[in-house]
Amino acid sequence: MNQKHPLSLLSSGKLLVSPSVLAADFADLGHEIHKIQEAGADMVHLDVMDAHFVPNLSIGPGLIACLRKHTELPFDVHLMMTDPLNYIEAFSKAGADHITFHVECSSDIQKTIQAIHSCGCSAGITLKPGTSVETLLPWLPQIELVLVMTVEPGFGGQSFMPEQLKKVEFLHHYFKQQTFAFHRPHIQVDGGLGEENVRQAARAGANCIVAGTSVFRSPHGTATAVEILHAAQEELAR
């Protein structure tokens, strides 16, 4: 099994950039991974879709295992799957360092969190835009990351939904009021993020930015795109 680099090792006080491979050139993924590593990305975001939970089909453990050979950056794996519990071990063995799954899935939430941790990965939980953020409250003390979707999950290149930042603000204030055994969980946002709205997300309390199109297809180049996202650190809510 690969040595893990769970997100609990990364400070929640730093703005982290996790480029989404979904927007990369799939014919040259090894090179694309090298580009974001050289650009200073903090991790690699890998979207896994099962064509059932969302109407799209993407990648599986085999491709992740191949990509694992190209970088030591943490692999931030987002499972958009109906039954993620059945696949936790497979994705961990493929090289996942962190695994996020949906609160709306059919798997037992508690067992899924435990399975992720037992594989040495950090655990995250997420929700669709139409799901209330309060749904997550029972699980927050047990996880290392909360992902707020700012688009409907399933496809890249969608428009940012600014109203979803209310969930980010809620989580930021909630975490400030709580005492956690180790560290404050990361708040991640995913969907339509780029130069025009990353500072807005950081001010709301998000410290982890997932960006696909704005990084891999930036007219300014990958390095500048990542630099622009990191610059939102100065706006990060404390």
Side-chain angles (χ1 to χ4, degrees):
M1 182 178 294
N2 298 297
Q3 182 179 356
K4 299 299 179 186
H5 301 279
L7 300 196
S8 54
L9 299 177
L10 300 176
S11 171
S12 59
K14 177 186 177 184
L15 192 138
L16 307 170
V17 175
S18 186
S20 173
V21 170
L22 191 64
D25 180 357
F26 269 54
D28 197 14
L29 282 180
H31 180 244
E32 296 277 70
I33 295 293
H34 284 300
K35 283 200 304 184
I36 61 171
Q37 177 173 293
E38 292 173 1
D42 300 283
M43 61 189 84
V44 181
H45 191 80
L46 297 153
D47 290 302
V48 177
M49 310 177 203
D50 65 357
H52 186 266
F53 185 78
V54 293
N56 197 2
L57 186 66
S58 60
I59 63 176
L63 181 57
I64 291 177
C66 291
L67 293 178
R68 183 73 280 176
K69 304 170 187 176
H70 290 272
T71 182
E72 294 184 358
L73 286 175
F75 275 8
D76 165 26
V77 177
H78 175 194
L79 300 183
M80 288 169 263
M81 305 179 72
T82 299
D83 294 302
L85 179 58
N86 294 332
Y87 299 92
I88 299 302
E89 185 175 1
F91 282 103
S92 173
K93 288 181 176 179
D97 297 285
H98 170 86
I99 299 175
T100 294
F101 67 99
H102 278 259
V103 71
E104 303 96 346
C105 73
S106 298
S107 296
D108 182 282
I109 303 296
Q110 183 66 55
K111 290 181 179 178
T112 305
I113 293 172
Q114 291 173 342
I116 294 171
H117 284 157
S118 69
C119 288
C121 299
S122 51
I125 197 163
T126 186
L127 70 171
K128 295 180 178 180
T131 301
S132 169
V133 69
E134 285 81 6
T135 307
L136 305 180
L137 293 180
W139 318 110
L140 297 182
Q142 305 178 52
I143 60 176
E144 287 76 34
L145 178 144
V146 181
L147 167 55
V148 174
M149 294 298 301
T150 46
V151 296
E152 289 291 342
F155 294 90
Q158 298 183 61
S159 297
F160 177 72
M161 301 168 68
E163 67 274 12
Q164 295 302 312
L165 292 183
K166 294 179 181 178
K167 295 177 181 176
V168 174
E169 293 172 349
F170 173 90
L171 290 165
H172 174 68
H173 291 297
Y174 179 82
F175 289 154
K176 286 182 68 175
Q177 297 167 3
Q178 305 300 312
T179 301
F180 293 91
F182 300 105
H183 77 295
R184 185 185 302 178
H186 299 285
I187 301 176
Q188 187 177 70
V189 286
D190 180 4
L193 273 299
E195 181 177 6
E196 67 281 359
N197 50 34
V198 63
R199 291 176 176 268
Q200 184 182 359
R203 284 194 295 270
N207 81 293
C208 187
I209 307 297
V210 175
T213 301
S214 66
V215 170
F216 286 105
R217 303 178 192 177
S218 171
H220 308 298
T222 303
T224 298
V226 172
E227 182 181 357
I228 288 171
L229 296 174
H230 271 144
Q233 171 75 42
E234 62 192 40
E235 302 283 351
L236 190 61
R238 304 299 180 184

